[in-house]
Amino acid sequence: LNGCIKSYGYNSISCVIMQNNIAGVYLKQGMIREAIIEYEAFAKTFKSVSQEDNNIYLTAINNLATAYRQNGQYQLALESLEHVYAILKKKSQLQDDIAASVMNNMAVNYTLQGNLTKATDYFERVLVIKESLYGTQSPALMDVLGNLAVTYWVLDRRTDALLLFKRSLSLSMKEVKYVFPSLTAQEQVQFYHQQKQNFERFNTLAIQSGNIQPDLLVHMFNNQLLLKSLIFFTNKKRSSLLESKSNKYLSSLASLVDARRAQLSQFYQMPASQVARLGYSPAKLEYQIDSIEKIIRHGMHEESQTATTYAWVDIQKSLKEDEALVEIVRFRKYDSFSNKGSLDFKTLSVGFTDSVEYAALLTTKETKEFPKLVLLRNGNQLEKRYAAYYRNTIRFDIVDTISYSQYVKPFFSQISDKRKIYISADGVYHQLNLNAILDHDGKFLIEKYDIHSIMNASQLVERTLSEKIDFSKMTLFGNVFFGHPQAGSELEDDLLRDTYEPLPASLEEIQEISNVFHMPSINEHTFLGKAASESNFRNKIDSPSILHIATHGFFSESVVYLNEHAKDDYMFHSGIILASGVQGISNATNSFDSDGIITAYDVMNMDLSSTSLVVISACETGLGRIENSEGVYGLQRSFLQAGAKDVVVSLWKVEDVMTKNLMVRFYTYMAKQHTSREALKLAQLDLLRAYRSPRNWAAFVMLSDN
């Protein structure tokens, strides 16, 4: 801007428009006071170089009013909007899109001031204008439909509000189906968060009115079905389509994207100054990845529309007599309340509160018309106080007398006659192993039920028999050399030596697993000691039938160095530790290429399309950032994203001898033709009989994408 003013003068139209653009950037970034300063300066200067009725000026004042409102200056906001409205009326432009935007802004201000009558009037006018401009089925209507629905809801016009919410959500679903698959990963995240707020808002209303209109629970379930693991399954579908298509061009682009992502991961882990000296720009590389990804997704767009979508009725019909589904829905409570504004008059706050609630939607053969609702209103306590208690009982071998009544009993008491229970988790339920919770009869739930964790309830419709696994194609990593002195080795400096202790039982674990399948413990698919390295993990794994990794895991922000350019940094906060050094290569170009650290980000770019099972026999490998509805962003998700069918991970630290005992039993049952899920349960029951504490037998859980 300063350069523009120096070249063309302060009153140049080009410089004034640039100032408007700068103000817009401030507003989008939430820098409200800076936006107000720039918009006010723009308005003052613009009138000296152009007419007030110019649409650029009118749009800027509308945005200034938004900034005023967000800064609590409601009266100034309203005055600005009324000024623009008067100009539009004089120009006979009250049926244009800009008028709809101004009136929508006015309605929001009236809502906040508690004048709901005026707010409703303006919202209704906006809806009429947008319908005339875009039609009744356009996603452009979603915002005004939602705003008007909220106003009706606050006025206790619940029936009217529900109709508009349903209409808004149907447009959201349409947009998800036709727009979401073609977006880049970053765009998908932004889109997902925007849509999820619409569905969360609906949940509050559905809960409040569910006893009168129980069909709302079906809508709530279907919304969750659409949102849950949306990003995961969309990207899995992309991978499947690329594998099945004969389009070599798209496949080559996908390989290029994978290579670029690996390169980007390296740049994130280098000091920004070093990246700059090498002549690279992470921002440019991100742009290249997004651009190529757009070509891939648009090339597959037609195929992505043919995917089958399921609803509650399909899932209900798929359940057997002895089965029950518990769909967990976490949502923030949406509410309205009055408060004191900065101008000493009452204003109305409408939005999400700090209260978190959980809804358990129960489905069985008997729930013919709609799922049964069990509401847990104490979501904040479940996520903090009771979650801490649960972890401490595990850690210190304390008998857990609370978790069952808080997390399980409210809904298990209504499905206790069912033997097989599917849990589609959300929120804090991703951190629990329900099998290891003690009921009021002194029995662990694993002793009474078959509890299956699933990513999405639609998986129940697509159930297939487990395929037979070729155990001769399994790959094993274990007895990892962390740089500690071991038998026959010399003490050498190593990055990880002072952090990770040897796991001597992991050698026995690999040897005994090999014996179970009558495999030699030393072969081309078994990597031990220094051979259990990052280099071999990256270069010698070729989609084995089973990938077993016995080592240390981590869930921490301090293990991997990241520079300020890193995006999706949480994918670097969980991973596994292998041997450092590059086997067979004397000089590594970057230290992180040979530091022994494999992150969830690294795993995501692997090809495990033919892998039936991944077992990460390490501590805390099931932890990661919980993204409600999407699940846990960490190792388990990355291995599934890479193509693995089943993944076994741990929720807490486990002593390595106990881990070895569990794993050997697990594979022994698999060798007897039990499915991986059956084998894990049988192995855990064996250890439970010997060691009652869940700390010793219940850390490992299984997640599947099929």
Side-chain angles (χ1 to χ4, degrees):
L1 179 60
N2 291 334
C4 182
I5 293 171
K6 185 176 180 180
S7 300
Y8 302 106
Y10 187 79
N11 291 331
S12 161
I13 187 67
S14 299
C15 299
V16 174
I17 291 174
M18 184 180 292
Q19 188 169 32
N20 176 47
N21 294 339
I22 291 171
V25 172
Y26 280 141
L27 185 60
K28 284 186 177 180
Q29 292 182 339
M31 301 170 67
I32 305 304
R33 297 184 67 85
E34 291 83 352
I36 290 173
I37 292 171
E38 295 297 336
Y39 274 129
E40 287 178 339
F42 161 83
K44 183 177 179 181
T45 308
F46 189 89
K47 286 187 284 188
S48 68
V49 296
S50 185
Q51 296 297 315
E52 216 176 31
D53 60 359
N54 187 297
N55 278 0
I56 295 175
Y57 174 81
L58 298 176
T59 301
I61 301 304
N62 183 41
N63 291 338
L64 173 59
T66 298
Y68 280 147
R69 187 189 75 232
Q70 293 180 6
N71 201 42
Q73 297 170 277
Y74 302 109
Q75 195 58 41
L76 275 176
L78 204 51
E79 289 173 3
S80 299
L81 292 168
E82 288 172 344
H83 172 59
V84 176
Y85 182 87
I87 295 173
L88 290 169
K89 184 176 181 181
K90 186 176 180 180
K91 293 175 64 180
S92 299
Q93 283 187 224
L94 291 183
Q95 300 304 312
D96 291 353
D97 199 29
I98 185 172
S101 178
V102 171
M103 283 189 272
N104 188 77
N105 215 346
M106 293 173 74
V108 171
N109 273 273
Y110 283 130
T111 300
L112 292 173
Q113 290 181 348
N115 192 340
L116 298 180
T117 303
K118 275 195 172 183
T120 302
D121 176 59
Y122 277 106
F123 279 138
E124 289 174 340
R125 291 172 63 185
V126 171
L127 181 57
V128 171
I129 294 171
K130 284 190 173 287
E131 285 178 333
S132 68
L133 292 173
Y134 303 107
T136 59
Q137 298 301 313
S138 171
L141 304 179
M142 283 194 298
D143 284 345
V144 66
L145 286 170
N147 288 338
L148 184 54
V150 168
T151 310
Y152 284 158
W153 173 62
V154 176
L155 288 170
D156 207 27
R157 295 172 57 180
R158 298 296 169 88
T159 302
D160 293 331
L162 283 170
L163 288 173
L164 293 183
F165 270 128
K166 288 180 180 178
R167 190 176 164 193
S168 175
L169 291 179
S170 69
L171 293 176
S172 292
M173 290 183 171
K174 182 179 178 181
E175 196 171 28
V176 167
K177 180 178 180 181
Y178 291 104
V179 176
F180 190 83
S182 63
L183 300 178
T184 65
Q186 202 64 34
E187 290 171 339
Q188 283 181 347
V189 171
Q190 295 170 355
F191 182 91
Y192 168 81
H193 283 293
Q194 178 185 353
Q195 297 300 321
K196 191 174 190 306
Q197 289 192 13
N198 296 334
F199 291 118
E200 270 191 298
R201 189 166 55 180
F202 176 81
N203 289 341
T204 294
L205 194 60
I207 293 297
Q208 291 179 353
S209 306
N211 58 336
I212 302 172
Q213 293 181 261
D215 66 301
L216 292 175
L217 301 179
V218 176
H219 282 280
M220 186 176 176
F221 185 100
N222 290 339
N223 296 342
Q224 188 75 350
L225 199 63
L226 178 72
L227 277 184
K228 188 165 279 189
S229 304
L230 175 63
I231 296 174
F232 175 83
F233 283 112
T234 299
N235 291 330
K236 281 285 289 184
K237 190 189 303 176
R238 166 200 178 278
S239 300
S240 298
L241 285 172
L242 282 172
E243 289 171 18
S244 62
K245 284 177 69 69
S246 58
N247 191 320
K248 293 183 179 180
Y249 174 63
L250 292 181
S251 297
S252 65
L253 288 180
S255 298
L256 181 60
V257 165
D258 291 342
R260 290 285 189 269
R261 284 190 180 130
Q263 189 178 20
L264 187 61
S265 170
Q266 295 179 351
F267 291 158
Y268 285 162
Q269 296 174 67
M270 296 166 61
S273 57
Q274 182 182 350
V275 176
R277 283 198 302 272
L278 292 173
Y280 293 106
S281 167
K284 287 184 179 179
L285 192 54
E286 289 164 357
Y287 178 77
Q288 290 176 12
I289 291 171
D290 286 345
S291 299
I292 299 170
E293 193 64 61
K294 275 187 177 293
I295 297 172
I296 295 171
R297 292 178 185 269
H298 281 294
M300 296 164 34
H301 188 67
E302 184 177 340
E303 289 85 347
S304 67
Q305 308 310 312
T306 61
T308 304
T309 55
Y310 298 108
W312 176 81
V313 64
D314 302 307
I315 285 120
Q316 194 274 336
K317 288 178 180 178
S318 73
L319 291 174
K320 300 174 184 177
E321 293 292 340
D322 65 336
E323 295 179 337
L325 166 68
V326 182
E327 180 70 47
I328 303 292
V329 184
R330 179 199 187 270
F331 60 98
R332 296 167 295 168
K333 188 176 180 182
Y334 195 81
D335 210 346
S336 63
F337 52 91
S338 297
N339 54 43
K340 285 284 186 178
S342 59
L343 299 178
D344 200 33
F345 56 77
K346 283 190 175 181
T347 60
L348 187 68
S349 291
V350 182
F352 292 107
T353 68
D354 292 332
S355 297
V356 172
E357 297 184 352
Y358 280 81
L361 300 176
L362 313 181
T363 304
T364 64
K365 273 293 183 187
E366 292 72 35
T367 56
K368 300 290 186 183
E369 298 179 359
F370 45 83
K372 187 180 294 184
L373 169 68
V374 175
L375 183 63
L376 289 74
R377 296 188 181 278
N378 63 334
N380 297 79
Q381 288 183 310
L382 293 177
E383 294 180 352
K384 296 175 183 177
R385 176 184 175 186
Y386 294 121
Y389 170 82
Y390 168 82
R391 289 191 293 269
N392 284 333
T393 61
I394 299 290
R395 181 181 179 185
F396 299 109
D397 291 337
I398 301 170
V399 176
D400 187 342
T401 60
I402 294 178
S403 294
Y404 178 74
S405 60
Q406 293 298 326
Y407 291 109
V408 180
K409 184 181 177 182
F411 53 84
F412 257 58
S413 60
Q414 301 194 40
I415 53 175
S416 57
D417 60 325
K418 305 299 180 183
R419 172 68 178 168
K420 186 174 289 187
I421 299 173
Y422 295 96
I423 305 290
S424 181
D426 202 356
V428 69
Y429 281 84
H430 287 296
Q431 299 175 320
L432 310 174
N433 183 353
L434 296 188
N435 274 309
I437 289 182
L438 200 66
D439 72 6
H440 292 164
D441 296 326
K443 292 281 190 180
F444 289 106
L445 295 184
I446 193 174
E447 299 177 278
K448 302 173 74 170
Y449 304 99
D450 284 330
I451 299 176
H452 295 239
S453 295
I454 57 177
M455 294 184 70
N456 190 299
S458 63
Q459 294 171 260
L460 297 176
V461 184
E462 301 175 339
R463 284 184 278 183
T464 57
L465 293 175
S466 298
E467 296 180 2
K468 190 173 181 180
I469 298 175
D470 183 353
F471 297 112
S472 67
K473 295 182 179 179
M474 66 188 304
T475 295
L476 301 96
F477 278 72
N479 191 35
V480 178
F481 176 71
F482 300 114
H484 292 269
Q486 298 178 354
S489 69
E490 297 180 4
L491 180 62
E492 297 176 352
D493 289 335
D494 190 276
L495 177 66
L496 303 172
R497 184 177 63 203
D498 297 327
T499 307
Y500 295 99
E501 295 294 328
L503 297 171
S506 70
L507 176 59
E508 299 175 39
E509 181 177 324
I510 299 299
Q511 290 172 335
E512 292 188 35
I513 291 172
S514 299
N515 291 338
V516 167
F517 297 109
H518 308 292
M519 295 166 51
S521 57
I522 299 177
N523 62 70
E524 60 179 334
H525 301 299
T526 300
F527 300 90
L528 301 172
K530 289 186 176 181
S533 66
E534 175 183 359
S535 173
N536 284 334
F537 188 87
R538 290 183 183 275
N539 301 314
K540 294 190 177 181
I541 292 179
D542 184 19
S543 200
S545 60
I546 296 176
L547 174 59
H548 182 93
I549 310 161
T551 185
H552 283 294
F554 69 87
F555 175 54
S556 170
E557 296 182 16
S558 61
V559 174
V560 177
Y561 165 81
L562 294 173
N563 63 40
E564 62 268 29
H565 297 301
K567 301 283 181 63
D568 299 334
D569 59 306
Y570 50 86
M571 294 299 286
F572 295 88
H573 296 162
S574 55
I576 54 175
I577 306 298
L578 297 176
S580 58
V582 182
Q583 301 300 310
I585 302 176
S586 58
N587 294 309
T589 55
N590 295 299
S591 61
F592 48 81
D593 285 333
S594 58
D595 59 9
I597 299 174
I598 298 291
T599 67
Y601 189 98
D602 296 324
V603 169
M604 194 168 53
N605 293 319
M606 296 176 67
D607 177 15
L608 298 176
S609 53
S610 299
T611 301
S612 299
L613 173 67
V614 171
V615 179
I616 317 171
S617 180
C619 296
E620 300 182 319
T621 50
L623 302 182
R625 189 185 79 170
I626 294 179
E627 185 65 57
N628 299 311
S629 295
E630 269 296 315
V632 181
Y633 279 85
L635 278 174
Q636 60 179 1
R637 182 187 180 92
S638 293
F639 276 108
L640 289 171
Q641 193 75 68
K645 307 301 183 296
D646 297 325
V647 177
V648 175
V649 292
S650 60
L651 296 178
W652 55 79
K653 294 183 184 296
V654 190
E655 195 264 325
D656 68 325
V657 173
M658 289 295 177
T659 300
K660 186 244 342 182
N661 292 339
L662 177 71
M663 291 302 164
V664 172
R665 283 174 168 80
F666 169 64
Y667 283 109
T668 299
Y669 282 117
M670 284 194 67
K672 295 177 181 179
Q673 303 306 311
H674 287 282
T675 67
S676 55
R677 194 175 290 276
E678 292 169 346
L680 180 61
K681 178 178 179 178
L682 290 169
Q684 289 179 326
L685 284 171
D686 284 350
L687 287 190
L688 186 157
R689 296 183 189 103
Y691 309 98
R692 198 67 181 161
S693 169
R695 179 174 60 86
N696 295 315
W697 59 266
F700 289 92
V701 295
M702 178 177 291
L703 197 64
S704 305
D705 79 336
N706 62 357

